[in-house]
Amino acid sequence: FEPQTGGLQGIYLSQAFDSKLSENQWHKIELLADIPEETQVALSYFASDTTKINYRDAVWEINDFIKSEDISIADKMSVLEGMWNDEVFNPYDVLIHKAKGRYLWFCLRLKGTNDYSPAISRIRVHYQRNSLLQYLPMVYQEDPVSRDFLDRFLAIFETFFAGFEEEITSMPRHFDAR
């Protein structure tokens, strides 16, 4: 309960997603969520090749630190504060930038009211960075600033096409084998 606004809030800290690849460039996070108008979901994330952090003169595994019931959520958020990338509000499909490393963690901050609350049904993390940019001539990839913009722009269409590919792949489920 948040006394200032009278609403409800919650924080979810994920365990590490392991790509098994050092210096992995994470691709995107998809949320299947119901976010009513008066509510909010904030997503932040970070990636690292190491799983260790320092807390009170001790070295902790990040997953153990997050799971520990002896550490308050305020302390956890304070220690992890400098590691998160910028928050994305009410996300459904987030292209991950500036997150390179074998492991990925994310944080969801959910805010609701007495009448409405956000609900998240599914979270999907994509770790292989496949871009439509790879199918364009090299001239479109030479300038780093233009390349970054074009890569993000094409990601819109990647999401659109990925939805079709998923529907086509799951088409056999709609037919009776008999």
Side-chain angles (χ1 to χ4, degrees):
F1 181 73
E2 190 174 276
Q4 298 140 342
T5 63
L8 303 171
Q9 75 174 27
I11 296 175
Y12 173 78
L13 297 171
S14 77
Q15 297 292 295
F17 285 80
D18 185 356
S19 69
K20 307 271 192 236
L21 302 169
S22 187
E23 291 289 313
N24 180 53
Q25 176 61 53
W26 292 86
H27 182 53
K28 68 179 179 175
I29 299 175
E30 290 179 63
L31 272 69
L32 181 58
D34 177 26
I35 307 172
E37 199 168 307
E38 297 84 13
T39 67
Q40 182 182 74
V41 173
L43 170 76
S44 49
Y45 54 86
F46 73 90
S48 176
D49 281 322
T50 182
T51 61
K52 310 262 189 227
I53 58 169
N54 293 319
Y55 176 67
R56 294 191 177 163
D57 299 325
V59 177
W60 284 73
E61 286 285 330
I62 296 175
N63 284 345
D64 293 339
F65 176 77
I66 288 171
K67 287 191 292 189
S68 176
E69 294 181 12
D70 298 329
I71 303 170
S72 72
I73 191 69
D75 284 349
K76 291 176 186 179
M77 295 305 289
S78 175
V79 169
L80 298 172
E81 184 176 346
M83 300 171 82
W84 302 114
N85 285 323
D86 295 334
E87 283 184 315
V88 179
F89 294 96
N90 296 343
Y92 293 99
D93 192 349
V94 177
L95 190 62
I96 299 175
H97 289 285
K98 303 173 191 164
K100 191 179 268 193
R102 176 176 171 170
Y103 305 98
L104 177 82
W105 292 265
F106 65 85
C107 174
L108 291 172
R109 292 182 180 99
L110 298 99
K111 292 183 181 178
T113 66
N114 288 331
D115 298 324
Y116 301 103
S117 63
I120 298 174
S121 307
R122 180 182 75 196
I123 298 172
R124 182 180 289 174
V125 178
H126 299 260
Y127 68 93
Q128 292 179 333
R129 183 102 170 106
N130 296 324
S131 172
L132 291 177
L133 192 59
Q134 68 188 356
Y135 299 109
L136 295 178
M138 287 303 293
V139 70
Y140 294 103
Q141 302 176 35
E142 290 174 355
D143 179 43
V145 175
S146 298
R147 175 187 167 86
D148 182 54
F149 170 77
L150 188 57
D151 191 31
R152 288 183 286 124
F153 179 74
L154 290 174
I156 296 168
F157 300 100
E158 282 177 50
T159 299
F160 182 71
F161 292 134
F164 281 136
E165 287 176 8
E166 191 172 312
E167 281 185 45
I168 292 168
T169 302
S170 66
M171 189 63 75
R173 284 191 274 156
H174 300 290
F175 298 105
D176 185 5
R178 290 186 268 160

